[in-house]
Amino acid sequence: VTSGLTVKIVPDPDGCSVDVLKGSRLRVEIGEHGFVELVDISPRLCPPGRDPDFAVIRAARTSTDTALKDEADDHKLMRYLFRHRHTTPFEFVQCSWLMQLPIFVARQVVRHRTASINEMSGRYVELPNMFFVPESGGGVRMQGTANRQGGEQAASMQDEEDFRFLTTASITGTRQMYEGFLKKGYSRELSRIVLPVAQFTRWAWTADLWNTFHFLGLRMDPHAQKEVRDYADAMYEILRCLMPQSVAAFDDYHAARGALTFSRLELEALTNNDHDPAYLSGRELKEYQAKLKRIGR
Ligand SMILES: Cc1cc2nc3c(=O)[nH]c(=O)nc-3n(C[C@H](O)[C@H](O)[C@H](O)COP(=O)(O)OP(=O)(O)OC[C@H]3O[C@@H](n4cnc5c(N)ncnc54)[C@H](O)[C@@H]3O)c2cc1C
């Protein structure tokens, strides 16, 4: 049955002909087993001399029914869009990644709901004999006091050695149990329940550029756990190689990268040169005072 509709081949006005990945993938390795790999990007075929983020401009210029302009003009428009949070044009770039990461890191990454994920299945395959053990020479942190969520100071050499030794012993024990269960014929889906969150998993992760920046903003922040930051930093570095202009806009305008915003109340206090306004209290006052410090007031 045919629809009767005619599909025409029309010329591409932007002349997209260059494979920006040149038939390759871009990878950053993280520790002994981890990695982040850019598998694909859309658009992958770009006009000569352009980066994939030309698609941001191409989408934005449909508003004014205009074509791409010279690069300098297009970059100015991109920075304008970023500054004013005209977000949808940034969704016209899609990044697909392959990540190998420990489950405790994956649990944080999976919270970012705008990404699509397809993970290796411990029901189908035997999970790899790969576990995260913090590196020696600063990888083990003691519980923080100021930052109640995170680890702060590096453990002493002895404490670090103890932690690594006991962790490795526990992991080795559970791995042996897992393999023993499989050998005995227990199902993979149940045998895996003895494995720790240090177990590595692998998944395909795809998101548009705006939501990838949102993810990077939250997970490159110093408040994020170091082990998830390593993954965000790796993704950032790959994107920086591929799309330096939009990454520069992210660096210049995103709060998590150093841009500073003031609430209406903070601005009122700032205008009155008031460092201790009664209408700000607790954490909000501390945050305001930290902002003052940053601008040298
Ligand atoms: C340092 C840090 C500590 C954290 N600590 C904890 C913790 O202790 N416990 C915990 O459970 N989580 C914790 N989180 C996770 C956090 O609460 C968020 O779930 C996570 O950062 C994802 O953020 P997001 O929702 O903005 O991102 P995404 O899920 O990627 O969503 C992107 C944006 O899309 C929009 N959006 C997506 N889904 C919806 C929806 N259903 N409805 C409306 N808008 C939507 C929102 O604008 C959102 O900001 C922590 C995160 C960080 C960075």
Side-chain angles (χ1 to χ4, degrees):
V1 179
T2 58
S3 65
L5 298 171
T6 308
V7 178
K8 287 186 191 164
I9 297 178
V10 295
D12 174 5
D14 301 316
C16 295
S17 58
V18 179
D19 176 359
V20 284
L21 289 181
K22 301 183 183 72
S24 310
R25 296 178 175 193
L26 300 176
R27 178 193 272 231
V28 172
E29 309 210 324
I30 299 159
E32 195 184 351
H33 303 300
F35 65 79
V36 162
E37 189 172 278
L38 185 77
V39 172
D40 203 2
I41 189 157
S42 169
R44 180 159 170 164
L45 289 183
C46 296
R50 290 297 182 106
D51 300 324
D53 50 10
F54 88 93
V56 174
I57 306 303
R58 184 172 60 183
R61 290 211 194 279
T62 53
S63 304
T64 47
D65 200 18
T66 45
L68 293 178
K69 296 190 178 169
D70 67 64
E71 264 186 86
D73 274 345
D74 285 350
H75 290 154
K76 269 190 218 154
L77 174 59
M78 181 153 57
R79 293 176 69 79
Y80 172 87
L81 295 170
F82 203 109
R83 266 198 319 279
H84 295 278
R85 297 178 59 81
H86 288 300
T87 58
T88 36
F90 289 91
E91 293 168 22
F92 282 74
V93 178
Q94 285 280 339
C95 310
S96 294
W97 308 83
L98 184 67
M99 300 181 191
Q100 186 154 286
L101 66 179
I103 287 172
F104 72 94
V105 173
R107 271 182 72 163
Q108 300 187 357
V109 179
V110 80
R111 297 302 307 278
H112 294 268
R113 297 159 289 175
T114 47
S116 301
I117 297 176
N118 202 77
E119 185 175 11
M120 82 186 307
S121 168
R123 299 178 72 198
Y124 275 117
V125 295
E126 179 178 332
L127 291 169
N129 189 3
M130 292 178 195
F131 297 90
F132 177 87
V133 177
E135 285 174 357
S136 57
V140 178
R141 303 177 297 277
M142 303 306 278
Q143 179 55 48
T145 44
N147 172 1
R148 285 190 295 145
Q149 237 187 1
E152 280 171 353
Q153 244 175 304
S156 68
M157 268 170 66
Q158 184 59 56
D159 284 342
E160 179 177 280
E161 209 174 293
D162 289 350
F163 187 92
R164 282 169 42 81
F165 174 77
L166 293 169
T167 307
T168 307
S170 159
I171 285 169
T172 308
T174 55
R175 180 71 198 185
Q176 278 168 359
M177 193 181 293
Y178 173 66
E179 288 178 6
F181 281 170
L182 295 182
K183 235 182 230 157
K184 245 188 133 178
Y186 291 120
S187 64
R188 284 186 291 268
E189 66 184 0
L190 278 177
S191 300
R192 64 181 168 169
I193 67 174
V194 296
L195 294 170
V197 291
Q199 169 72 48
F200 270 82
T201 185
R202 193 158 52 239
W203 67 26
W205 192 94
T206 185
D208 65 61
L209 188 58
W210 184 262
N211 283 293
T212 304
F213 281 141
H214 180 73
F215 167 79
L216 295 182
L218 288 169
R219 300 300 176 176
M220 290 173 76
D221 188 277
H223 293 97
Q225 182 169 344
K226 153 88 172 62
E227 287 75 21
V228 75
R229 255 175 16 231
D230 288 344
Y231 282 80
D233 288 346
M235 291 164 77
Y236 168 89
E237 208 44 51
I238 290 173
L239 292 179
R240 204 169 62 84
C241 292
L242 212 52
M243 293 176 284
Q245 295 295 333
S246 44
V247 171
F250 168 64
D251 282 339
D252 292 343
Y253 303 130
H254 199 289
R257 302 297 292 161
L260 203 53
T261 53
F262 288 90
S263 68
R264 187 182 62 75
L265 292 177
E266 287 174 332
L267 264 185
E268 192 176 312
L270 185 62
T271 313
N272 296 329
N273 207 15
D274 188 348
H275 285 218
D276 194 8
Y279 46 82
L280 296 181
S281 61
R283 192 179 275 193
E284 196 177 0
L285 179 63
K286 275 195 190 140
E287 287 167 6
Y288 168 63
Q289 289 168 341
K291 288 180 190 177
L292 291 182
K293 224 179 196 174
R294 272 195 59 199
I295 59 169
R297 295 280 286 269

